[in-house]
Amino acid sequence: MAEQNLTTAQTQLRQHFAQLVAQNKLVHAYLFAGPQGVGKKALALWVAQGIFCEAVQAGIPCGRCNECRRIAEHNHPDVVEIVPDGLSIKVDQIRFLKAEFTKSGVESRRKVFIIQEAERMTNGAANSLLKFLEEPSGDVTAFLLSANTSQILPTILSRCQLIELPRLPKEQLQQQLIQNGIGAKQARILANMTESVPAAEQLQANEHFDSLVKLTQQWFNMVIRHDPMAFVLVQSKLMPEIVGRDERELCLQLVMLLARDLLLQHLGQDEEVVFTETSIETLGTVETARLVTAVELVLKQSRSLMVNVSFQTILEKLTLRLMDLYTPGTGSR
Ligand SMILES: [Zn+2]
């Protein structure tokens, strides 16, 4: 609930909701959509504080009164939060919620409920909630939060006002990671691979992350020099680091950034480049089309992760195809 570090978009959304609170114009149900870590829950709690705050000013909560503090501590009887129980939100959880709200107001008539990861509602839970949204009893505001709105039943969607929370701008994410103590270079890589601070920190916490960054870059540099040792590196160094699906995705994402870097350097957009040590100079003149094809090729490989192809085979194919695409002297200028 910290006030600092709000993005422009987050500030604007708060202003918008403060106005609605002040004018008593909140609708019954909102769906906050956006990737993990963009502040969906913080916004919902902030609006809830605005509703209950004892010293609210123009819809803006004081953040210090008893009501504000209890909401921040998730300990307010009229602000009920539902999180998935295991993998899903079950019908019993929604029934509990409804029971809470049919009890005449514990402390006031106002009620707020917040459903996190709303896409995880079972069909039973969603249908139960739907009835509730159709005939809300009393003064209820619902916040459904989701990073995957495509998985929410259309009937639920149609009952909610959709509010999209945009992802953090890359530079801002990078700055925030640096403030959290992550080195500048790593912060730049992470900001290009994820959409939020928690997602970046989670990625960085992967014990294979550092070695994968180092080895993938090493492998890529061999590929652009057409060094056949690239194949050995795949087998002897890279593969042992790739223990599961997360590492497979991570590795291909890094290859993607490296291939994109070459293209960016070629186009003279050097300020966007992530891995500055990997230089297009090594390549000499290569046609733009080939650099674009290389990026597309890596993208296509990411999709083939879905099917059951050995990752070593994927990397070996990539090594061959990229060596072919990155053939110097093919540029016509
Ligand atoms: Zn307050």
Side-chain angles (χ1 to χ4, degrees):
M1 305 295 291
E3 295 287 5
Q4 70 274 25
N5 293 335
L6 284 184
T7 65
T8 317
Q10 284 165 344
T11 308
Q12 282 168 350
L13 277 170
R14 284 192 174 194
Q15 282 166 353
H16 171 69
F17 275 100
Q19 231 166 33
L20 294 177
V21 168
Q23 297 167 358
N24 207 11
K25 281 188 178 159
L26 287 170
V27 300
H28 280 303
Y30 290 95
L31 174 62
F32 287 175
Q36 193 203 355
V38 292
K40 299 186 290 294
K41 188 171 159 198
L43 179 62
L45 288 171
W46 189 83
V47 180
Q49 285 181 322
I51 294 172
F52 292 101
C53 178
E54 292 161 353
V56 64
Q57 286 198 346
I60 297 169
C62 72
R64 291 180 304 275
C65 72
N66 195 31
E67 298 284 301
C68 282
R69 276 210 320 272
R70 284 201 293 173
I71 291 170
E73 289 160 6
H74 313 282
N75 190 25
H76 193 290
D78 293 320
V79 179
V80 179
E81 297 175 47
I82 297 273
V83 294
D85 172 13
L87 286 175
S88 58
I89 295 174
K90 305 191 167 68
V91 66
D92 284 348
Q93 291 180 274
I94 302 296
R95 286 199 189 118
F96 162 79
L97 186 82
K98 285 158 97 171
E100 280 294 297
F101 283 105
T102 42
K103 280 182 204 165
S104 55
V106 181
E107 304 208 343
S108 68
R109 282 176 307 107
R110 287 306 294 259
K111 296 283 182 186
V112 169
F113 66 80
I114 300 172
I115 301 183
Q116 292 185 51
E117 299 183 69
E119 75 280 3
R120 289 178 182 260
M121 278 187 285
T122 61
N123 278 349
N127 285 322
S128 179
L129 177 70
L130 196 60
K131 287 196 203 102
F132 190 46
L133 294 180
E134 277 165 353
E135 36 198 85
S137 48
D139 216 346
V140 173
T141 308
F143 296 101
L144 279 64
L145 319 181
S146 178
N148 296 298
T149 49
S150 62
Q151 291 168 21
I152 294 182
L153 286 182
T155 41
I156 296 275
L157 289 178
S158 69
R159 291 279 155 196
C160 299
Q161 188 170 329
L162 176 69
I163 303 283
E164 299 208 47
L165 281 77
R167 56 162 289 168
L168 290 181
K170 222 180 273 179
E171 296 69 30
Q172 215 160 340
L173 178 54
Q174 190 180 335
Q175 274 322 109
Q176 214 150 312
L177 291 171
I178 292 172
Q179 277 171 25
N180 291 7
I182 295 178
K185 184 172 162 50
Q186 239 186 355
R188 188 167 175 83
I189 299 170
L190 289 165
N192 275 278
M193 295 179 80
T194 58
E195 300 191 318
S196 68
V197 174
E201 290 182 338
Q202 200 183 337
L203 187 59
Q204 200 216 12
N206 183 320
E207 54 176 329
H208 301 278
F209 180 76
D210 289 337
S211 6
L212 276 177
V213 168
K214 206 181 82 204
L215 290 168
T216 309
Q217 198 178 1
Q218 217 176 326
W219 165 81
F220 193 81
N221 284 334
M222 287 176 171
V223 168
I224 60 181
R225 288 197 313 267
H226 294 137
D227 182 345
M229 287 303 281
F231 290 99
V232 180
L233 187 119
V234 165
Q235 204 185 2
S236 65
K237 299 243 176 87
L238 259 175
M239 285 312 292
E241 296 292 335
I242 293 166
V243 295
R245 167 143 199 170
D246 285 353
E247 291 75 27
R248 293 198 284 272
E249 280 175 6
L250 182 53
C251 178
L252 281 186
Q253 239 187 318
L254 289 164
V255 181
M256 183 71 208
L257 285 181
L258 285 155
R260 198 191 62 165
D261 276 357
L262 283 187
L263 180 61
L264 289 169
Q265 291 182 41
H266 176 78
L267 299 173
Q269 294 171 10
D270 290 51
E271 67 287 351
E272 296 275 319
V273 171
V274 179
F275 294 95
T276 42
E277 310 90 333
T278 300
S279 167
I280 189 128
E281 304 296 318
T282 319
L283 260 188
T285 324
V286 173
E287 275 171 36
T288 313
R290 283 179 166 249
L291 296 172
V292 174
T293 308
V295 172
E296 289 169 352
L297 178 71
V298 182
L299 259 184
K300 221 192 294 168
Q301 294 308 317
S302 306
R303 269 180 241 123
S304 71
L305 277 185
M306 303 292 176
V307 292
N308 209 4
V309 181
S310 107
F311 193 67
Q312 187 169 331
T313 310
I314 291 178
L315 281 183
E316 284 169 352
K317 269 195 197 156
L318 260 183
T319 309
L320 270 178
R321 292 277 285 124
L322 287 178
M323 277 186 180
D324 179 46
L325 285 167
Y326 293 146
T327 301
T330 53
S332 50
R333 286 277 153 145

